[in-house]
């Protein structure tokens, strides 16, 4: 059964580790992530962007697929199904469809409007036992059409949003979706520290987990990050393994063109990436 992400992230913050949010795109992605979480005895959050939700047929289709896999694969670790960078309307659609967690990305609105919309959604989500993430200070780069400038969050604005009763908060600290450019300045730990000082126990979220060096990940966790989002890295490992299979001509040997064979190396590669991240984030063995 899906659970809200609130408890798993409170535990993570108190225990000084982070739970990974891995974005899903299809059945293979979802199965690989769920099986790895089960094997690692780790809690996990499945992230769905609005674009990926549409690609998979819609939010009801996603909920049906995930719930079916939880049952058929006997997934006995905590799993949350979370809307990633949701619009105001998208959040309502996911609450109705059966998601267990939502993110409202109001970072592009003036702070007053972000506060007003977040307040309304906190009420709607909590009324159904669903957790809610909010964002202050945009995440740089582009993810599924959501483009951000990457400015650091204002700690006072973070406090204002935290006080609305959100369950976890994404604060921009110089992080970027996708690959980091060679001249990237790194995460602003000064901002993260200031945000944590004002928001206290609230679990903080680090977006743009792809390509952040291990030492920065560990430092971010030590400063209150309890959820780390990873998307591009699974896409890159899936693509590399699939390319290798095809370049080696394996799709042309025997029944190598069978989609179940063709997509298998990519699915295995995702498992390896997820495992590596769970080990780095410290969530292995924390399911119980
Ligand atoms: P990456 O694609 O950079 O891993 O970021 C994922 C993310 O933050 C999803 O919201």
């Amino acid at each position: 059964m899906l659970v809200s992400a609130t408890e798993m992230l409170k535990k993570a913050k108190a225990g000084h580790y982070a739970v990974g949010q891995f974005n899903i795109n299809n059945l293979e992605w979802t199965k690989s992530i769920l099986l790895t979480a089960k094997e690692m005895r780790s809690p996990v959050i499945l992230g769905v962007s609005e674009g990926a939700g549409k690609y998979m047929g819609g939010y009801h289709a996603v909920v049906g697929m995930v719930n079916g896999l939880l049952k058929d694969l006997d997934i006995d670790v905590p799993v949350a199904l979370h809307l990633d960078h949701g619009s105001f309307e998208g959040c309502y659609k996911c609450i109705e469809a059966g998601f267990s967690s939502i993110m409202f990305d109001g970072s592009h609105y003036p702070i007053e409007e972000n506060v007003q919309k977040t307040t309304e959604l906190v009420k709607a989500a909590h009324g159904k036992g669903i957790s809610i993430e909010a964002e202050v200070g945009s995440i740089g780069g582009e993810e599924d059409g959501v483009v951000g400038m990457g400015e650091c969050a204002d700690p006072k604005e973070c406090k204002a949003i935290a006080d609305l009763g959100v369950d976890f908060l994404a604060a921009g600290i110089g992080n970027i979706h996708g690959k980091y450019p060679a001249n990237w300045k790194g995460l602003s730990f000064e901002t993260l520290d200031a945000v944590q000082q004002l928001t206290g126990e609230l679990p903080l979220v680090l977006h743009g987990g792809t390509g952040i060096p291990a030492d920065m990940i560990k430092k971010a966790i030590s400063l209150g990050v309890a959820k780390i989002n990873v998307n591009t890295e699974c896409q890159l490992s899936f693509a590399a393994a699939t390319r290798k299979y095809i370049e080696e001509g394996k799709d042309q040997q025997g029944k190598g063109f069978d989609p179940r064979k063709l997509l298998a190396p990519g699915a295995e590669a995702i498992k390896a990436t997820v495992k590596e991240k769970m080990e780095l984030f410290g969530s292995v063995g924390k399911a119980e």
Side-chain angles (χ1 to χ4, degrees), residues 9-28:
L9 294 182
K10 270 192 191 162
K11 264 176 77 181
K13 174 127 182 175
H16 307 292
Y17 61 92
V19 177
Q21 171 193 305
F22 300 96
N23 285 54
I24 59 171
N25 290 287
N26 59 20
L27 180 80
E28 280 72 21

Side-chain angles (χ1 to χ4, degrees), residues 21 23 84-85 143 176-178 207-210 229-232:
Q21 171 193 305
N23 285 54
D84 190 26
H85 292 283
E143 183 181 64
I176 299 171
H177 287 130
H207 283 247
T210 296
N229 294 5
V230 178
N231 184 8
T232 307

Side-chain angles (χ1 to χ4, degrees), residues 212-214 217-218 221 275-283:
I212 299 180
I217 293 279
K218 292 210 162 116
I221 294 173
K275 190 172 169 186
E276 191 187 297
K277 295 295 169 194
M278 286 175 166
E279 279 161 356
L280 174 62
F281 300 166
S283 69

